[in-house]
Amino acid sequence: MKHVKASLKYLFTALLIACSSAAVQAVPMVSLSPSTSYGLVGDTMYVDLLWSGDSGDYLGAWDVDISYDSTVVSYSGASFHTGVDSWGCIICGDGSVSGTIDLYESSLDSVANLIANQDGLGNAFTLATLEFQALADGFSGLVFGASIFGDEIGNAITPKLVNGGICIGDDLCATPVPEPGSLLLMLLGGLGLVSRRIIHRSWSQRRQMVRH
């Protein structure tokens, strides 16, 4: 019986270690930088589409859809960088329509050259730079839609996708904050409500004690 318990203990420990290792293993990420861009009507805005991976994470092809609010900003186009293909933008394109950005790229590098190129960049680099024109005050989310990614040999991978946004206007798209006077009144009202409940509970307890 002791041997069975010991074996189960070792098995449980091994499973715990395996689960912990899987939990801490980093997932590649595709994000937008800055996470929120700020500007005024008439400004030209630039947002980078970024790949971030650990050693051993490689990107050989990608196709992303990003939606935006076409009443707040207009999309002007994208310039591709050389992290995926050291030759530049050869198999790449922009099939965007109003409200949706559709970009794709596939590497012509050999597997060895792609790995060497991305290792040299620390496995973190810019895929493309997006250009927008600010049309009106407001906030436009930049939200990933249907997207496909492949590693250095064409296997499908699923990096974490992190959305972004563009804020146009002097108010920086801030959420209204209660004025100090209003905040104080709200606080005093809350304290009064709590006090009444405490007093009511105290009187109820006293009445019950008197009855008993």
Side-chain angles (χ1 to χ4, degrees):
M1 189 67 179
K2 291 182 178 179
H3 294 299
V4 173
K5 287 184 177 179
S7 299
L8 288 173
K9 182 179 178 182
Y10 290 135
L11 178 61
F12 180 73
T13 304
L15 286 172
L16 213 67
I17 293 171
C19 291
S20 300
S21 300
V24 299
Q25 184 176 2
V27 176
M29 182 170 64
V30 174
S31 60
L32 297 160
S33 179
S35 56
T36 301
S37 301
Y38 297 91
L40 301 175
V41 173
D43 286 351
T44 299
M45 318 283 293
Y46 295 96
V47 178
D48 287 332
L49 179 63
L50 305 178
W51 162 268
S52 302
D54 279 343
S55 177
D57 293 327
Y58 302 106
L59 182 64
W62 56 276
D63 185 336
V64 300
D65 285 357
I66 302 171
S67 62
Y68 64 94
D69 188 340
S70 58
T71 65
V72 177
V73 294
S74 64
Y75 170 69
S76 303
S79 56
F80 291 79
H81 293 246
T82 57
V84 168
D85 193 338
S86 61
W87 296 91
C89 182
I90 298 178
I91 302 179
C92 65
D94 186 343
S96 303
V97 295
S98 180
T100 303
I101 300 166
D102 179 9
L103 302 176
Y104 67 89
E105 182 182 21
S106 184
S107 180
L108 285 180
D109 286 337
S110 67
V111 172
N113 286 344
L114 183 147
I115 289 174
N117 182 32
Q118 295 184 13
D119 280 343
L121 296 170
N123 297 91
F125 47 86
T126 302
L127 299 174
T129 298
L130 317 179
E131 181 179 325
F132 297 89
Q133 299 296 323
L135 301 178
D137 287 355
F139 179 81
S140 170
L142 299 175
V143 181
F144 285 99
S147 301
I148 301 171
F149 301 89
D151 65 12
E152 72 277 15
I153 58 175
N155 292 328
I157 54 177
T158 54
K160 178 182 178 181
L161 303 178
V162 182
N163 299 325
I166 297 176
C167 174
I168 306 301
D170 290 321
D171 65 353
L172 302 180
C173 302
T175 301
V177 178
E179 295 180 1
S182 302
L183 195 59
L184 181 59
L185 288 173
M186 288 169 61
L187 183 60
L188 289 174
L191 288 173
L193 182 61
V194 172
S195 299
R196 285 197 297 272
R197 287 181 178 175
I198 292 172
I199 293 170
H200 178 73
R201 185 178 300 171
S202 177
W203 275 106
S204 298
Q205 289 173 349
R206 287 183 181 180
R207 289 174 64 183
Q208 289 176 3
M209 290 174 65
V210 169
R211 287 176 182 176
H212 290 296

